[in-house]
Amino acid sequence: MTDGSTPPPALSVLAVHGVGNSFGRGVLGERLEERRRLQAAAWARHLAGGLGIAPERLDLDFAYYADKLATHAGPPPQGEDDGGPLTDPLAQELMEEWAATLGMNRLPAQGHLTLPVRQLAAWLARRFDLDEGRLRVFVRLLFTEVTTYLRAVDAEERIAARAEVAARIARHRPRVVVAHSLGSVVAYEALHLAPDAGVELFLTLGSPLALPKVVFDRLDPAPAGAPAPTRGVRPPGAARWVNIADPGDPVAVPPGLAAAFDGLDLDLTDTVHPLFGFHHAKNYLGCAGTAATLAPFLTGS
């Protein structure tokens, strides 16, 4: 407890973003810091809104790694041709695996993986009651960034993105790491590399960590187990792990992580998104499940 003249202590948080935050490779200096500052303010505002507190009570740092994954060609193309198959063979393969996991039954055409983005977007729109046009753009963006990160364990982009998150953890020494979407994968691996990080809570939102073949089987460290099935484990750099997923979020597949990971303390489902806001970080940050998870850290209990 504090008296009326003493501000309550701030909760230190590291935010780790998901897909869709790239604005080019090699962004440095003032532009990068301005991007980080704006994102940190937005995440603090959304978290504070859900908690019913002033944003100033959150000492929030933002780990920006998207520039490490950006291609020299810039963002994926949009327009009339944006609904065709993905041009990167691995991205196309991962998209096909994702569609199969979601329950889309389709035989490969002539032995090739050639599912068009437009066909998948139309199916997803019907399945999850989402906007088809937005899904086309999102699917191409999602698999551009996911493929860049997961292509190889020793890929330059993966090492750089993971190192950026680890560096922000070491610098900020947060009590809580909040990671959304692909950011949950980057943070999971970064916390495995920092067993002495001292993070009290690892909170994953809309996470695809358990997505078979696409993400789970490509994690570093690789899930282990004998005999099968293999299982992942809570990163040693975090004392507690809570996951929150919207059952209508097609990226958080499967919505629960407990079936694939040991050391998960709480696996929550919460309906967080409106029709045109599926998978958005701001909806997860302000939801009741996130507020209930973070509230004890505000009181120090």
Side-chain angles (χ1 to χ4, degrees):
M1 296 293 292
T2 60
D3 58 35
S5 62
T6 305
L11 171 62
S12 58
V13 177
L14 179 71
V16 188
H17 67 78
V19 299
N21 284 274
S22 175
F23 64 139
R25 179 185 285 272
V27 178
L28 300 172
E30 293 182 2
R31 287 187 63 204
L32 179 57
E33 289 308 312
E34 176 67 5
R35 177 75 168 183
R36 194 194 316 280
R37 185 188 66 79
L38 292 174
Q39 288 282 20
W43 277 54
R45 186 170 63 252
H46 297 315
L47 281 174
L51 286 162
I53 62 173
E56 292 73 23
R57 288 194 63 188
L58 299 174
D59 174 19
L60 190 143
D61 189 27
F62 191 83
Y64 181 74
Y65 64 85
D67 61 317
K68 310 298 189 298
L69 305 184
T71 64
H72 287 289
Q78 300 176 19
E80 294 182 0
D81 296 330
D82 197 43
L86 298 174
T87 56
D88 185 322
L90 179 58
Q92 181 70 33
E93 178 186 340
L94 297 184
M95 186 184 76
E96 289 267 359
E97 294 288 0
W98 179 54
T101 300
L102 288 169
M104 183 179 186
N105 296 317
R106 178 183 176 277
L107 293 175
Q110 300 178 350
H112 298 288
L113 300 174
T114 56
L115 173 63
V117 171
R118 70 172 66 88
Q119 182 179 340
L120 176 56
W123 181 84
L124 286 169
R126 294 191 300 270
R127 164 81 185 276
F128 292 96
D129 193 24
L130 299 171
D131 179 79
E132 181 180 339
R134 293 175 184 236
L135 277 166
R136 284 193 192 185
V137 176
F138 177 74
V139 167
R140 190 171 292 273
L141 175 64
L142 173 67
F143 282 97
T144 296
E145 295 193 19
V146 167
T147 303
T148 300
Y149 185 78
L150 294 175
R151 188 179 302 278
V153 171
D154 59 352
E156 176 186 350
E157 295 87 350
R158 186 172 189 165
I159 293 172
R162 196 165 51 196
E164 173 61 23
V165 173
R168 303 306 296 195
I169 292 173
R171 177 183 301 181
H172 194 63
R173 302 301 296 180
R175 293 182 65 193
V176 176
V177 171
V178 180
H180 173 244
S181 185
L182 177 61
S184 68
V185 181
V186 183
Y188 174 88
E189 295 190 347
L191 283 168
H192 268 286
L193 294 175
D196 299 322
V199 171
E200 296 177 40
L201 171 67
F202 180 35
L203 175 58
T204 49
L205 307 172
S207 175
L209 273 163
L211 182 57
K213 297 183 180 179
V214 179
V215 176
F216 183 75
D217 299 288
R218 294 174 177 272
L219 289 173
D220 180 30
T230 58
R231 295 180 62 80
V233 63
R234 181 181 68 214
R240 180 174 173 80
W241 183 7
V242 174
N243 180 65
I244 301 176
D246 187 318
D249 183 347
V251 177
V253 184
L257 300 183
F261 291 89
D262 294 324
L264 191 69
D265 295 276
L266 201 57
D267 215 2
L268 302 175
T269 56
D270 197 348
T271 301
V272 303
H273 69 76
L275 178 61
F276 298 110
F278 71 94
H279 195 60
H280 284 187
K282 65 180 181 180
N283 299 321
Y284 275 106
L285 295 171
C287 77
T290 296
T293 301
L294 293 180
F297 292 87
L298 286 170
T299 61
S301 60

